[in-house]
Amino acid sequence: MSSVTNIFLTANKSVSQWQSDNLLQIIDDDIYIYLDDNDLFPLQSIQKAGRSIEKMGVKNAHLQGDSWKADSQWAFALGFTCVDKLTNIEFNGDEDVVSKLNDKLAVYAWSRDLTNQTPSQLTPLLLAEKAQKYITTQAPEYVKTHVISGEALSEQGWTGVYNVGKGSVNPPCIIEIDYNPTGDDQAAVTACLVGKGITFDSGGYSLKSNEGMFHMKCDMGGAAVVAGALALAIRQGLKSRVKLILCCAENMVSNNAYKLGDILTYKNGVTCEVANTDAEGRIVLADGLLMASENSPTLIIDAATLTGAAVAATGGDYTALFSLDQQAADQAKKAATSENEPLWQLPLAKWHQDKCPSAFANTANSRPIPGGGPGGASNAAGFLSRFVDGKGWLHFDLAAAYNGSANAQWGAGATGLSIATIANLLLSQ
């Protein structure tokens, strides 16, 4: 096929005989996606078509014809794009539609590529640096950053990030990126985004298996998603002040690594016994949530590839949503629906805080059984809820953030799912 292939979307059968009922129909060098009027999930079918077309060896897709709408073009883009082809699409429509789709594609490509990088390419401080550079590029005059790394984390009381990352030769860090387009240094912070940035997760002394560790370069996917969400919101005209907080560390085994039975004391006085060093995401996010809460924003969103339990509950097809504020959760679900991103709310109540008990501290970070036991995703969210007021707080457990291998809808690697949903929430504040 040529280097650029024209892709048409149609409800009319363009061919006969053996191709007549196929989702994909080929005429000369053009490809037609045939959608039956009775298709109950047309966007999903278009995404699957995009995946199939990429596997044919198409290098660049040019969407042609009048049938393409913004949502159908984006569905195609999600299926077609993959490693080394993250931006290889020419969109269709008026200038405004094409511009918005190109902005969205560029941000998702950056976030997905960041998540796909190897642990040697992306150490904690490099993750912070790349996020800072990308956000600053969006609006250089409105961005300020502050980084706390290494021993300074311990000295300033950021015990979670410090302890999870102290076993690595690559020092941990927290970066705070302040986007303030108001021109007023005293302006209220309307929202804070907190991202889990574990650039590699060995599991620590609760060591993962080879299979479980193989894809753990993706464990900073939460940081990539919230950074991408802020970048997209800025491109879409964000006018309010937002802070992005990334909690970055490598969870490694060494003579200096944190250990089972250690007790951590957080800035708010909560003590935590380490029952599982592989439940490190919630340990670092606690610091990020405390830092976010210091700003008294109306909205706090954290995002993390946090629990296998969320993947088991959703099949890896949805982002799992948790909140103690049902109004905020309903807003998130509405935003996800408008962006055509799968989001599913799972149970969370105040009493989930007590689901990881400790005889020696206020709480443990997990339960010392595989997967944290029943309700593991809710229990993790319950742990996090100790570090926020609860009102206006949303926890995104990114169960659909990464695929170890390609499937019918996605290429292998990061998906970027929930970037648009979170950006939508920022713009609605």
Side-chain angles (χ1 to χ4, degrees):
M1 292 186 179
S2 62
S3 59
V4 178
T5 302
N6 295 323
I7 313 293
F8 294 85
L9 182 65
T10 182
N12 300 313
K13 294 182 179 180
S14 304
V15 294
S16 59
Q17 299 179 346
W18 66 271
Q19 289 195 71
S20 61
D21 293 321
N22 288 357
L23 176 63
L24 299 181
Q25 302 175 354
I26 301 172
I27 302 176
D28 298 326
D29 281 337
D30 298 332
I31 300 177
Y32 290 75
I33 301 173
Y34 167 65
L35 277 187
D36 190 296
D37 289 336
N38 297 319
D39 194 324
L40 297 177
F41 306 102
L43 295 181
Q44 189 178 88
S45 296
I46 292 169
Q47 185 172 341
K48 288 179 177 179
R51 181 90 296 274
S52 296
I53 289 170
E54 189 282 322
K55 290 192 291 185
M56 290 178 181
V58 171
K59 292 181 172 59
N60 297 280
H62 186 187
L63 307 185
Q64 296 270 30
D66 297 332
S67 296
W68 288 105
K69 307 302 180 187
D71 59 355
S72 57
Q73 291 188 76
W74 185 246
F76 178 89
L78 292 178
F80 181 80
T81 54
C82 60
V83 176
D84 296 329
K85 292 183 185 179
L86 289 171
T87 58
N88 294 25
I89 297 175
E90 294 180 52
F91 292 113
N92 173 295
D94 63 43
E95 184 177 344
D96 184 57
V97 168
V98 171
S99 177
K100 287 180 178 178
L101 285 169
N102 280 330
D103 278 348
K104 195 173 181 181
L105 186 66
V107 170
Y108 272 67
W110 176 82
S111 177
R112 293 169 73 183
D113 179 66
L114 188 69
T115 306
N116 290 339
Q117 291 182 23
T118 71
S120 297
Q121 289 175 306
L122 199 67
T123 55
L125 281 168
L126 281 174
L127 171 58
E129 179 184 334
K130 287 178 180 290
Q132 181 270 329
K133 285 183 176 179
Y134 191 65
I135 299 301
T136 300
T137 298
Q138 312 308 316
E141 67 275 29
Y142 298 142
V143 177
K144 295 180 180 178
T145 61
H146 177 59
V147 179
I148 310 166
S149 65
E151 293 299 320
L153 290 165
S154 178
E155 293 164 5
Q156 296 180 36
W158 302 113
T159 189
V161 176
Y162 174 74
N163 275 279
V164 169
K166 70 178 182 177
S168 172
V169 296
N170 297 305
C173 69
I174 297 176
I175 184 170
E176 181 186 73
I177 300 174
D178 183 358
Y179 169 73
N180 185 6
T182 69
D184 178 6
D185 289 341
Q186 303 305 313
V189 177
T190 62
C192 284
L193 303 178
V194 180
K196 174 187 173 184
I198 301 297
T199 57
F200 185 71
D201 182 17
S202 71
Y205 278 103
S206 303
L207 195 67
K208 292 180 181 289
S209 66
N210 183 75
E211 180 182 8
M213 204 186 300
F214 183 62
H215 295 296
M216 282 300 103
K217 65 183 181 182
C218 79
D219 214 20
M220 40 59 64
V225 164
V226 288
L230 178 55
L232 182 59
I234 293 170
R235 288 187 178 219
Q236 292 175 340
L238 180 64
K239 301 301 183 186
S240 57
R241 187 178 186 182
V242 174
K243 286 190 176 183
L244 172 67
I245 299 165
L246 304 183
C247 305
C248 308
E250 280 187 335
N251 186 20
M252 303 293 282
V253 177
S254 76
N255 67 314
N256 197 39
Y258 79 132
K259 303 172 184 68
L260 295 159
D262 281 352
I263 294 179
L264 314 180
T265 302
Y266 285 95
K267 278 196 165 190
N268 64 347
V270 170
T271 56
C272 168
E273 182 181 18
V274 179
N276 182 353
T277 61
D278 194 24
E280 84 297 329
R282 67 201 72 177
I283 291 178
V284 302
L285 284 176
D287 279 341
L289 292 173
L290 287 171
M291 184 178 286
S293 297
E294 290 178 351
N295 295 276
S296 301
T298 56
L299 177 67
I300 296 177
I301 299 174
D302 75 77
T305 49
L306 202 65
T307 66
V311 178
T314 65
D317 296 313
Y318 294 79
T319 294
L321 171 69
F322 299 85
S323 184
L324 293 172
D325 182 341
Q326 193 55 48
Q327 183 178 355
D330 290 342
Q331 290 175 343
K333 289 187 282 187
K334 182 179 179 181
T337 298
S338 69
E339 300 294 342
N340 295 303
E341 291 194 317
L343 183 74
W344 198 265
Q345 188 175 3
L346 291 178
L348 178 63
K350 273 284 190 180
W351 46 261
H352 279 103
Q353 291 183 356
D354 300 321
K355 284 290 189 174
C356 298
S358 167
F360 304 98
N362 298 135
T363 184
N365 70 319
S366 184
R367 299 171 71 186
I369 51 179
S378 295
N379 298 344
F383 176 89
L384 293 177
S385 73
R386 290 176 175 270
F387 304 93
V388 288
D389 174 81
K391 184 174 176 56
W393 168 60
L394 297 168
H395 166 50
F396 284 65
D397 194 332
L398 301 174
Y402 186 89
N403 294 301
S405 57
N407 57 39
Q409 288 185 259
W410 296 97
T415 66
L417 279 180
S418 290
I419 289 175
T421 297
I422 296 172
N424 184 303
L425 287 166
L426 294 179
L427 291 163
S428 68
Q429 295 302 300

